């Protein structure tokens, strides 16, 4: 059963102690389920319940829920490791996980299809926010007969506790790669992205081979919980930021009480292409002092010169604020297609020069202080 009508409140069983030893029924206010879906809905059938709830100490909540009532997460042991989990599973010996759900998360007018994919790793492939999983699609590598396909890396779009808040799942944000012949305009399935199409076509219960986790560049620094984090993304590059923001604003993590500023810039083609928009808009409503959210819709908006509005144009609009925040110690992150970086770099350099500053010196300082985070593909 899918819940799609508004609810004023919902009663759920949650652990009241950090160790989960004592439980009581509490009410989470202002949790609504709308007809417009932007991710897997809450399903209460027995199959989904078995995937989402573990010994009643974990609540399975849909992507639609971004309320000020934060959710307890388990197991808190995931907070303990001092070393970043890295390469627990490698291409020669990947981990076999299970697909929980695959759901289209863009509207009908979006160019292309993007899916939110939840993978059950049963707690065996732990990760931190900002890391990536490798996926090995089934089949034979056409360039290496008899060998498996190459690993395809995807930024993880959930916190270490996953969408079920039990530490047993990870979510990926995947755009289906389709090739169209430039002369005929006809789709050529033989040149379609092998891994993205495998994931977007997957069904609950299908097996998927994963590697990792990998990456340290995009890890969320948590030593200063009042820090400013400026996050810039195009398309599915928003994936790691979804994990950051859920950790900051959705989850009740005892040792991480974020009280800084998170500022998200997201560039996509049009309104139907926005990813996790209702979730982010919920944070904006509940945490207006701690979250800012700016969108650049290239096919619907114009920049100040009358051209298409790209994410670098939106950055230029707020350049004075951004530079002041960087001067005050802010972290800045970039994730998405590598083609976005030249335009962004040119914009930042031009703004720096207009301010009488050297962008090269500022960039060198940001990198030296580990406040410049880039992951593009």
């Amino acid at each position: 059963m899918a819940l799609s009508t508004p609810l004023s409140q919902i009663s759920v069983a949650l652990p009241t102690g950090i160790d989960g030893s004592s439980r009581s029924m509490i009410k989470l206010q202002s949790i609504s389920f709308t007809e417009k879906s932007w991710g897997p809905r809450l399903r209460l059938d027995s199959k989904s319940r078995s995937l989402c709830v573990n010994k009643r100490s974990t609540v399975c909540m849909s992507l639609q829920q971004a309320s000020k009532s934060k959710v307890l997460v388990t197991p808190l042991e995931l907070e303990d490791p001092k070393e970043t989990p890295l390469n627990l599973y490698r291409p020669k010996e990947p981990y076999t996980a299970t697909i929980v759900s695959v759901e289209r998360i863009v509207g009908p007018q979006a160019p292309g299809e993007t899916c939110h994919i939840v993978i059950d790793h049963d707690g065996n492939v732990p990760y931190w926010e900002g890391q990536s999983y490798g996926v090995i699609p089934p089949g034979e590598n056409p360039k290496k007969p008899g060998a498996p396909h190459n690993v395809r890396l995807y930024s993880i779009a959930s916190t270490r506790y996953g969408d079920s808040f039990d530490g047993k799942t990870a979510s990926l944000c995947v755009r289906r790669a389709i090739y169209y012949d430039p002369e005929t305009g006809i789709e050529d399935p033989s040149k379609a992205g092998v891994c993205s199409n495998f994931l977007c076509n997957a069904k609950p219960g299908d097996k998927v081979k994963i590697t990792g986790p990998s990456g340290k560049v995009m890890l969320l620094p948590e030593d200063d919980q009042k820090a400013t984090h400026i996050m810039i993304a195009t398309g599915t590059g928003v994936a790691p930021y979804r994990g950051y923001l859920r950790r900051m604003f959705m989850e009740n993590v005892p040792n991480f009480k974020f009280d800084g500023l998170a500022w998200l810039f997201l560039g996509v083609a049009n309104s139907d292409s926005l990813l996790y928009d209702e979730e982010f808009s919920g944070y904006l409503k509940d945490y207006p002092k701690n979250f800012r959210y700016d969108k650049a819709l290239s096919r619907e908006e114009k920049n100040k010169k009358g051209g298409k509005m790209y994410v670098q144009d939106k950055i230029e609009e707020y350049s004075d604020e951004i530079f002041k925040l960087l001067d005050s110690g802010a972290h800045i992150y970039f994730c998405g297609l590598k083609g976005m970086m030249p335009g962004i770099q040119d914009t930042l350099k031009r703004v720096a020069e207009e301010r009488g500053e050297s962008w090269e010196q500022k960039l060198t300082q940001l990198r030296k202080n580990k406040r410049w985070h880039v992951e593009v593909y």
Side-chain angles (χ1 to χ4, degrees):
M1 177 181 69
L3 299 178
S4 58
T5 54
L7 297 178
S8 61
Q9 61 185 29
I10 182 171
S11 296
V12 293
L14 289 172
T16 56
I18 291 178
D19 62 358
S21 58
S22 175
R23 300 182 179 88
S24 64
M25 293 298 292
I26 65 173
K27 292 183 178 179
L28 299 180
Q29 301 293 335
S30 303
I31 295 179
S32 64
F33 300 78
T34 63
E35 292 184 0
K36 182 177 179 181
S37 174
W38 36 280
R41 298 188 179 190
L42 179 62
R43 291 178 172 83
L44 299 180
D45 55 89
S46 60
K47 181 177 180 180
S48 295
R49 190 179 293 119
S50 67
L51 290 170
C52 297
V53 182
N54 177 36
K55 297 181 181 178
R56 296 186 66 220
S57 63
T58 302
V59 177
C60 176
M61 298 180 70
S62 76
L63 296 180
Q64 293 156 303
Q65 301 175 32
S67 76
K68 203 164 184 177
S69 298
K70 292 191 175 183
V71 183
L72 290 176
V73 292
T74 59
L76 291 178
E77 288 78 8
L78 291 175
E79 302 292 321
D80 295 341
K82 302 301 179 184
E83 294 296 324
T84 309
L86 284 171
N87 301 315
L88 303 177
Y89 291 89
R90 299 180 180 274
K92 290 186 178 180
E93 295 182 345
Y95 180 81
T96 301
T98 304
I99 298 291
V100 175
S101 62
V102 176
E103 186 158 349
R104 178 186 172 105
I105 55 171
V106 291
Q109 301 305 314
E113 180 180 28
T114 301
C115 296
H116 182 82
I117 300 163
V118 180
I119 297 173
D120 182 1
H121 59 80
D122 201 30
N124 293 314
V125 197
Y127 57 88
W128 287 358
E129 296 73 23
Q131 289 192 293
S132 300
Y133 270 171
V135 176
I136 304 175
E140 185 177 284
N141 189 332
K143 297 182 179 180
K144 298 179 181 178
H149 285 288
N150 294 331
V151 174
R152 174 70 164 89
L153 288 177
Y154 292 95
S155 297
I156 298 172
S158 52
T159 73
R160 67 194 68 185
Y161 297 99
D163 285 4
S164 300
F165 307 104
D166 61 359
K168 293 187 176 183
T169 69
S171 299
L172 305 180
C173 182
V174 179
R175 175 165 176 161
R176 186 190 294 273
I178 297 175
Y179 175 82
Y180 292 92
D181 186 285
E183 294 183 0
T184 65
I186 299 174
E187 180 183 341
D188 185 350
S190 67
K191 296 182 180 179
V194 174
C195 197
S196 65
N197 282 274
F198 159 67
L199 289 170
C200 290
N201 290 334
K203 300 292 187 291
D206 286 354
K207 300 301 179 182
V208 55
K209 294 181 178 180
I210 60 175
T211 66
S214 63
K216 297 179 72 173
V217 173
M218 295 293 286
L219 292 177
L220 178 65
E222 297 188 358
D223 53 330
D224 180 4
Q225 299 181 20
K226 293 183 177 294
T228 295
H229 302 275
I230 303 169
M231 302 165 283
I232 299 164
T234 56
T236 58
V238 78
Y241 308 144
R242 178 179 182 262
Y244 298 171
L245 296 171
R246 285 173 77 91
R247 187 163 173 84
M248 291 172 177
F249 303 126
M250 183 178 284
E251 297 178 344
N252 182 3
V253 182
N255 62 332
F256 183 60
K257 305 295 184 183
F258 182 70
D259 192 29
L261 173 65
W263 191 353
L264 173 63
F265 291 87
L266 176 58
V268 294
N270 56 25
S271 299
D272 269 16
S273 303
L274 287 168
L275 304 172
Y276 311 113
D277 185 55
E278 291 185 33
E279 187 168 337
F280 299 152
S281 297
Y283 302 143
L284 193 62
K285 178 181 178 182
D286 289 340
Y287 300 94
K289 295 182 179 179
N290 301 100
F291 183 54
R292 295 178 67 173
Y293 179 29
D294 284 280
K295 314 163 195 177
L297 309 178
S298 62
R299 299 188 185 181
E300 294 180 3
E301 300 176 324
K302 300 293 184 182
N303 60 27
K304 62 181 182 181
K305 297 179 181 179
K308 291 183 177 182
M309 174 68 79
Y310 293 110
V311 71
Q312 61 263 32
D313 300 310
K314 189 62 67 173
I315 291 170
E316 187 171 11
E317 282 187 22
Y318 296 98
S319 57
D320 283 341
E321 286 184 82
I322 290 173
F323 271 70
K324 288 177 182 177
L325 290 171
L326 291 176
D327 290 340
S328 300
H331 288 262
I332 190 165
Y333 308 78
F334 304 87
C335 190
L337 296 175
K338 64 177 64 176
M340 77 177 189
M341 288 308 295
I344 291 174
Q345 289 268 35
D346 289 344
T347 296
L348 293 172
K349 182 177 181 179
R350 183 175 65 256
V351 170
E353 291 174 349
E354 291 172 354
R355 293 166 57 90
E357 301 179 38
S358 167
W359 173 244
E360 286 73 18
Q361 290 181 5
K362 183 176 287 291
L363 179 57
T364 297
Q365 195 64 34
L366 287 169
R367 286 172 170 163
K368 181 180 179 180
N369 295 334
K370 298 181 179 180
R371 294 191 283 114
W372 178 266
H373 313 264
V374 180
E375 185 172 84
V376 293
Y377 40 84

